[in-house]
C-alpha cells in the first residue's frame, strides 16, 4: 500500500498568531512535524511527505525542512474550511496523473511531542475492517464537573448517566491514519470504524495558545 504523510499548515491562527511557525526548542512546529514524517519515510512507513500550505512563508519553511508542498485552492483557504476539506482536495489533485495513495497519515503541526514511535505504533492498528486510527488522550480535567453560564447563572453541563469508570478522551492531533477511500466519503473524522490509539498525557500537547506552547516546552524538558 502507498501512503503519504500529509501535514496541513494554515497560515492564520486566532489565538496564537502564525502558530505553525512558532518555535519550540529552536525548531518550528511545522518543521518538527516534517522531521517526524521524514523519519517515517526513511523507515518505509510512508512514501511521501507533503505539506498543504497557503502562503509563501509557510511554503519555504516546509521545503526547507525537506517536504514537498501542495498549494491550497481558494476554496480550502476559506476560514470555514475543515482539515477534511483540505485532505480531500489534495487526494483529488495528486501531482502526477495515475498516482494515488491508499493511506493518509495526517500529522497536525500543533502536536510537537509526536515521535516516530507514535506514527509506527498507530499504523500497526490499522487492520482490516478499520477505516482509520485516531490518536486520543484523556481530558486533563474531569469533564463531569464542567459548568456553563446560562442566563447569568452557573449550570452543570450534565452527565447524570456517567459513572466513575467513564474515561473521557479527545483527539490530540498526534496522528490519524486513514484509508483514502474512506476519506472521500466520510462526513467527518468520526464517521466510520475508528480505532483509538491512546497517547499518555505526558506525551501529548495540542498547542493552541502561548500557554500550551510553554507547557509543551516543559514536557519536552522532562524528556532530556
Amino acid at each position: 500500500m502507498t501512503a503519504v504523510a500529509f501535514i496541513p499548515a494554515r497560515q492564520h491562527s486566532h489565538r496564537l498568531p502564525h502558530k505553525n511557525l512558532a518555535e519550540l526548542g529552536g525548531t518550528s512546529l511545522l518543521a518538527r512535524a516534517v522531521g517526524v514524517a521524514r523519519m517515517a519515510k526513511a523507515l518505509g512507513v510512508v512514501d511521501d511527505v507533503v505539506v498543504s500550505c497557503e502562503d509563501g512563508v509557510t511554503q519555504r519553511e516546509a521545503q526547507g525542512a525537506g517536504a514537498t508542498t501542495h498549494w491550497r485552492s481558494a476554496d480550502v483557504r476559506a476560514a470555514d474550511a475543515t482539515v477534511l476539506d483540505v485532505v480531500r482536495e489534495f487526494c483529488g489533485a495528486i501531482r502526477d496523473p495515475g498516482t494515488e495513495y491508499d493511506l493518509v497519515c495526517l500529522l497536525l503541526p500543533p502536536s510537537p511531542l509526536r515521535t516516530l514511535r507514535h506514527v509506527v505504533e498507530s499504523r500497526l492498528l490499522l487492520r482490516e475492517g478499520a477505516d482509520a486510527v485516531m490518536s486520543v488522550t484523556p481530558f486533563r480535567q474531569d469533564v463531569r464537573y464542567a459548568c456553563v453560564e446560562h442566563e447569568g447563572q452557573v449550570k452543570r453541563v450534565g452527565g447524570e448517566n456517567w459513572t466513575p469508570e467513564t474515561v473521557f478522551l479527545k483527539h490530540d492531533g498526534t496522528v490519524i491514519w486513514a484509508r483514502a477511500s474512506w476519506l472521500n466519503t466520510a462526513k467527518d473524522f468520526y464517521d466510520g470504524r475508528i480505532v483509538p490509539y491512546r497517547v499518555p498525557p505526558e506525551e501529548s500537547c495540542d498547542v493552541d495558545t502561548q500557554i500550551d506552547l510553554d507547557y509543551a516546552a516543559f514536557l519536552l524538558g522532562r524528556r532530556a
Side-chain angles (χ1 to χ4, degrees):
M1 285 189 173
T2 56
V4 59
F6 186 77
I7 304 169
R10 185 185 292 275
Q11 178 184 13
H12 298 294
S13 174
H14 296 294
R15 282 175 282 192
L16 183 61
H18 305 291
K19 173 173 62 179
N20 293 324
L21 300 179
E23 291 193 353
L24 183 62
T27 304
S28 71
L29 301 187
L30 175 56
R32 283 182 171 273
V34 172
V36 173
R38 290 185 64 196
M39 286 189 284
K41 181 179 179 181
L43 196 63
V45 180
V46 299
D47 300 283
D48 293 305
V49 178
V50 177
V51 172
S52 169
C53 52
E54 57 187 27
D55 68 286
V57 175
T58 302
Q59 183 180 46
R60 289 190 292 272
E61 180 74 7
Q63 292 175 343
T68 300
T69 56
H70 174 261
W71 198 260
R72 299 183 185 185
S73 70
D75 291 338
V76 295
R77 288 201 300 270
D80 60 348
T82 67
V83 172
L84 186 56
D85 293 331
V86 175
V87 176
R88 280 179 174 159
E89 181 192 60
F90 169 72
C91 289
I94 301 300
R95 299 175 303 284
D96 300 319
T99 300
E100 295 182 355
Y101 296 107
D102 300 303
L103 304 177
V104 175
C105 178
L106 182 63
L107 306 176
L108 302 182
S111 297
L113 303 186
R114 175 193 303 110
T115 66
L116 178 61
R117 174 175 60 82
H118 296 129
V119 175
V120 173
E121 287 181 347
S122 56
R123 169 65 182 88
L124 295 175
L125 296 177
L126 188 62
R127 303 187 180 97
E128 184 177 353
D131 295 312
V133 173
M134 176 185 289
S135 64
V136 293
T137 196
F139 270 91
R140 299 195 188 282
Q141 295 179 313
D142 193 334
V143 299
R144 287 172 292 192
Y145 300 102
C147 301
V148 295
E149 181 180 342
H150 178 68
E151 297 180 348
Q153 299 182 43
V154 175
K155 299 290 184 180
R156 288 280 300 275
V157 170
E160 292 79 5
N161 297 322
W162 299 340
T163 69
E165 292 75 28
T166 303
V167 177
F168 295 92
L169 305 168
K170 72 180 188 74
H171 173 51
D172 69 336
T174 297
V175 62
I176 292 178
W177 277 98
R179 301 188 191 278
S181 57
W182 170 75
L183 287 171
N184 288 327
T185 60
K187 293 183 295 185
D188 55 45
F189 283 109
Y190 300 92
D191 177 32
R193 294 158 294 183
I194 315 302
V195 176
Y197 169 63
R198 296 204 179 200
V199 179
E202 65 272 15
E203 297 178 10
S204 172
C205 186
D206 183 7
V207 175
D208 201 34
T209 65
Q210 182 61 49
I211 292 176
D212 296 331
L213 191 63
D214 294 341
Y215 182 59
F218 167 73
L219 291 177
L220 278 179
R222 291 180 57 183
R223 292 182 181 180

